Amino acid sequence: MNIRPIRNEEIPTAAALLADAFLHDPAYEHLIRCSRRRTLFLRRMMALRLRFAAKEKAVWVTEDGLGLISCHPVHSGVSIREFLTLDGLWTALCCNPRDIMRLLRFMGYVSRREAKNLSQTDWIIGPLAVAPAAQGQGYGAALLHYVLEEVVPQGEMAALETQSTKNRDYYRKFGFHILEESLVPGSRVSNIVMARCMA
């Protein structure tokens, strides 16, 4: 399977793939309860993430566009200036005030969790998404192997997160172990942080 860096003109299609993949993710369902607003938010937010990650050369896609993965160093987050420049406020405008409050609480939870769990981690993997029609055909495994073999240097730690026990079991097959499993505040959604040291 041919895997290559994403091209800028592919970002809208890739953002739609990610939005569709995460539309029924338990965390996003909790954060933005209206499916119409959630779809709009996810399309905008995923495009924002992809534009930033593509600028950092941190997104790879399969040649046919049915799968993608992002992987970047831990300390390469988006600054407030970049957030505003990359349409971060426009992304949040599709949310109602309650959605925004849940998103802000979630961002605080994520910041605390990352400070606790990622202090010894070098790389963050994700998002990883495969089009529904291509699932079960090895796309996810090929993308994950690519990042683990070609991007993350030996001796460094890579981390990812999931809200799915199915995905947790899948990532264990690639040598990831659980760093923390906790509930997203105000929900019954389990958030699982996993890591793997590259030997």
Side-chain angles (χ1 to χ4, degrees):
M1 186 173 301
N2 189 28
I3 297 171
R4 59 168 174 76
I6 195 168
R7 297 180 190 115
N8 284 333
E9 64 270 15
E10 296 172 314
I11 289 175
T13 303
L17 170 69
L18 284 170
D20 291 346
F22 286 92
L23 182 61
H24 299 292
D25 177 277
Y28 288 113
E29 285 184 329
H30 165 69
L31 295 170
I32 303 169
R33 308 222 169 126
C34 169
S35 64
R36 184 185 54 77
R37 284 196 312 269
R38 186 168 58 249
T39 299
L40 183 56
F41 171 81
L42 284 169
R43 285 185 185 253
R44 289 178 179 181
M45 192 263 298
M46 294 302 182
L48 174 73
R49 285 181 72 175
L50 288 174
R51 280 197 310 275
F52 177 78
K55 186 177 89 171
E56 299 294 315
K57 310 238 183 297
V59 182
W60 296 267
V61 295
T62 57
E63 190 63 47
D64 58 10
L66 296 177
L68 71 89
I69 192 167
S70 178
C71 181
H72 58 86
V74 167
H75 302 293
S76 67
V78 178
S79 71
I80 295 295
R81 181 173 173 265
E82 289 169 318
F83 180 78
L84 294 173
T85 303
L86 293 169
D87 296 328
L89 288 177
W90 181 72
T91 298
L93 286 176
C94 64
C95 300
N96 70 26
R98 289 182 182 153
D99 296 339
I100 291 171
M101 291 306 298
R102 282 190 294 271
L103 284 165
L104 290 172
R105 280 194 302 272
F106 182 71
M107 289 169 61
Y109 160 76
V110 168
S111 294
R112 290 187 302 278
R113 195 196 68 237
E114 285 179 352
K116 176 182 173 187
N117 292 309
L118 302 183
S119 62
Q120 299 173 15
T121 302
D122 304 294
W123 294 82
I124 296 176
I125 298 173
L128 164 63
V130 176
Q135 291 181 3
Q137 298 176 32
Y139 281 77
L143 288 159
L144 200 48
H145 277 298
Y146 179 85
V147 164
L148 294 174
E149 293 169 9
E150 303 293 330
V151 179
V152 180
Q154 285 191 326
E156 295 196 359
M157 181 86 66
L160 52 79
E161 68 176 316
T162 184
Q163 288 75 41
S164 162
T165 55
K166 179 181 167 187
N167 289 349
R168 177 197 62 202
D169 297 340
Y170 179 75
Y171 293 133
R172 281 184 170 156
K173 295 176 187 175
F174 293 90
F176 285 88
H177 64 276
I178 296 174
L179 289 179
E180 179 186 29
E181 188 167 352
S182 61
L183 292 179
V184 172
S187 78
R188 294 183 185 150
V189 177
S190 182
N191 190 68
I192 306 160
V193 180
M194 303 181 78
R196 172 186 164 169
C197 185
M198 303 307 298

